[in-house]
Amino acid sequence: MPTAEEDRASRRLAWCVAHLLRHAPHPVVTALIDRLDGPTRKYLCRDQWLPASAVTLLLRDGTAQDRHYIARNPRVVGRPLPGLPGPARYAARPGPSPELLREVGPGPFAPGELIGLLRRHGRRPRVPLTLLRMPHLLDPGLLLAEHARAPLPSGAVEALLLAGALPREACAALLDARTGDTYGPRWYRPAVRALRMGLLTCDELVAHVAPAPRTLLLGHLPAVPGLRWTLPEQAEMQSAVQRALRPVLGQDARRWAELPHRAAAFRGTLPELAAALAAGGPPAPGGVRHDPALARAVRHLAPDPGTAEPTGGWERELALVSLAVPMDTVDEDVRWVRDCLDRSLLTGADVIRHKVPACWALDEDQWLGDTGHPDRHDRPAAVLAARAEADRLFDAALGEDPAAWWRAARALPDFAGTLPELLARVTDGDSVSKRP
């Protein structure tokens, strides 16, 4: 039976690991979770706000106990719990309408006939979902061959993800639309649905969504009505896109500025585009139309050049110093930081670099206020900038070394300095944790 002190230590470590999982690539996520002891792993799965990809990996590769605790976690919202989301809701709807029955008949539908109906009625997912509830035969091989020849409409793809009971490899292949239009009505919905259902993680979306401009836009998807990214999902997708591009583009502002022109005419996936850029591929043809949305997405994904003169003069200096001197109460601290953000004296990246302790810098509730849900922060630009800067720092210091990430996780609860200071100490091999 653990003591009260050991129980508190397990809860604090679970909280810190949950924050590190936001910024870690897949192999590191799995390695960090596997290093946790039983109580800490329970608190992580049952009590923490977990990234969507971490939940997916836990449900995919974790134990039955992990799945039991995740199902009890009230902070796992809209995630792939048994029967959710989507299929149960649509299954409760009435059967096919008389109009649809007159048009397509009662079934059963042969594989080729079903694909033709999905094409004809695939603008929205409602009718394809009804068709998939009617008697039919679905041949995944034929489906993927037809999709590779001419991509299915986004509504049909979303319905197949929801109710097609396809293997994960087939779900990933349905997101490859390189032979069709770059954009179409609601083109982003299948990718959002695949993550929301736990079929694919953000890194897997980056690896399989095509053409590449779609992936870049998913990294900074504007607020749209209906199904969309939540703020944590948007930050996680942004991280995955930057992980694919950072090894090739680094901090080179010129290459980031060239990216939208190269991407606009590229039909493959984003990793294939990155490989072509690394190999010095030919420039984009001159006739490619400039895409303002794509250029805007790349500007948001590119690292902050940090070359412009900071605004605010001595007020900015005071704001930066104040991050290292927490005020008497959290509420005062939150009011001051929010005021500095509103006056453009601070950015989310400044908070990550200068706020102490490091564990507070990684938790937006500590400097934007506790909203009870990470999607309700009213400064989304600051949150996304903070996550991007934390990604950059973790990648530069820790890379994909699970041992280094574990040292950072063990050190984080007790460290009183900034995040860059913590990472410098961890990578130098000097333990900053009071834990044995």
Side-chain angles (χ1 to χ4, degrees):
M1 183 71 179
T3 65
E5 182 60 33
E6 290 171 338
D7 188 67
R8 282 193 296 271
S10 292
R11 291 177 183 273
R12 292 181 67 198
L13 180 58
W15 183 85
C16 291
V17 168
H19 283 76
L20 292 189
L21 294 181
R22 299 172 176 176
H23 310 284
H26 278 186
V28 172
V29 169
T30 303
L32 281 180
I33 293 173
D34 287 345
R35 285 175 179 257
L36 299 177
D37 58 23
T40 307
R41 187 165 177 145
K42 178 186 77 172
Y43 293 137
L44 176 77
C45 295
R46 193 191 67 183
D47 301 328
Q48 299 301 321
W49 290 107
L50 291 172
S53 294
V55 174
T56 297
L57 293 173
L58 277 165
L59 293 178
R60 184 186 297 173
D61 305 320
T63 65
Q65 195 172 42
D66 294 335
R67 290 186 281 275
H68 169 75
Y69 286 128
I70 287 175
R72 294 176 60 195
N73 188 344
R75 295 176 172 85
V76 177
V77 180
R79 287 288 151 273
L81 303 181
L84 293 176
R89 170 187 169 194
Y90 285 105
R93 294 177 58 247
S97 65
E99 294 81 4
L100 184 63
L101 284 173
R102 283 196 297 270
E103 180 180 352
V104 304
F109 308 125
E113 183 183 7
L114 176 64
I115 293 171
L117 292 173
L118 291 175
R119 288 193 188 280
R120 191 186 314 161
H121 298 281
R123 187 169 179 269
R124 294 177 182 270
R126 178 171 296 180
V127 175
L129 282 166
T130 301
L131 293 171
L132 291 173
R133 290 177 57 204
M134 299 170 70
H136 68 273
L137 295 174
L138 181 60
D139 182 348
L142 177 62
L143 174 70
L144 296 183
E146 284 294 307
H147 181 73
R149 180 184 63 81
L152 295 169
S154 60
V157 173
E158 185 179 350
L160 287 165
L161 296 177
L162 279 163
L166 296 170
R168 191 191 321 149
E169 294 75 14
C171 293
L174 286 173
L175 298 176
D176 189 329
R178 68 183 72 197
T179 57
D181 294 336
T182 303
Y183 314 114
R186 303 169 185 83
W187 62 266
Y188 53 86
R189 286 180 62 103
V192 177
R193 184 69 74 182
L195 179 74
R196 192 69 56 81
M197 291 184 65
L199 296 173
L200 299 171
T201 65
C202 286
D203 285 339
E204 290 166 343
L205 288 178
V206 168
H208 293 100
V209 170
R214 288 190 175 191
T215 315
L216 292 171
L217 287 173
L218 287 173
H220 185 75
L221 190 64
V224 291
L227 187 69
R228 63 173 181 84
W229 294 132
T230 64
L231 183 57
E233 289 167 346
Q234 180 69 82
E236 197 173 346
M237 191 67 200
Q238 168 187 273
S239 301
V241 171
Q242 290 170 330
R243 271 196 294 273
L245 294 174
R246 195 181 295 118
V248 176
L249 304 182
Q251 302 290 315
D252 189 339
R254 180 186 59 81
R255 301 192 73 181
W256 279 95
E258 187 184 358
L259 177 62
H261 305 289
R262 293 291 190 100
F266 195 82
R267 305 302 298 178
T269 64
L270 190 63
E272 292 169 349
L273 173 61
L277 292 173
V288 174
R289 181 177 63 86
H290 173 67
D291 188 339
L294 185 59
R296 183 170 57 251
V298 172
R299 281 199 304 272
H300 281 89
L301 291 166
D304 182 4
T307 55
E309 287 295 322
T311 61
W314 65 269
E315 289 184 301
R316 173 173 165 81
E317 293 298 323
L318 175 61
L320 290 173
V321 170
S322 71
L323 293 175
V325 185
M327 297 188 179
D328 292 338
T329 67
V330 174
D331 289 342
E332 290 180 87
D333 213 12
V334 167
R335 280 195 297 270
W336 171 253
V337 172
R338 288 167 69 94
D339 181 61
C340 291
L341 290 171
D342 291 341
R343 291 191 289 154
S344 299
L345 300 177
L346 293 176
T347 65
D350 291 327
V351 176
I352 288 293
R353 288 193 291 261
H354 298 283
K355 188 167 182 57
V356 296
C359 59
W360 287 11
L362 292 172
D363 183 5
E364 292 87 12
D365 288 350
Q366 295 292 335
W367 47 275
L368 283 179
D370 186 358
T371 60
H373 193 287
D375 195 38
R376 295 180 188 142
H377 286 302
D378 55 0
R379 306 291 192 280
V383 174
L384 293 174
R387 297 282 184 95
E389 179 64 12
D391 290 337
R392 187 186 68 80
L393 292 174
F394 280 117
D395 180 69
L398 308 182
E400 295 190 8
D401 181 3
W405 283 85
W406 178 245
R407 290 196 300 270
R410 295 295 299 269
L412 186 59
D414 301 315
F415 189 69
T418 64
L419 182 61
E421 291 169 346
L422 168 67
L423 295 176
R425 296 286 293 276
V426 168
T427 52
D428 288 341
D430 183 8
S431 175
V432 294
S433 175
K434 297 178 183 177
R435 301 177 185 276

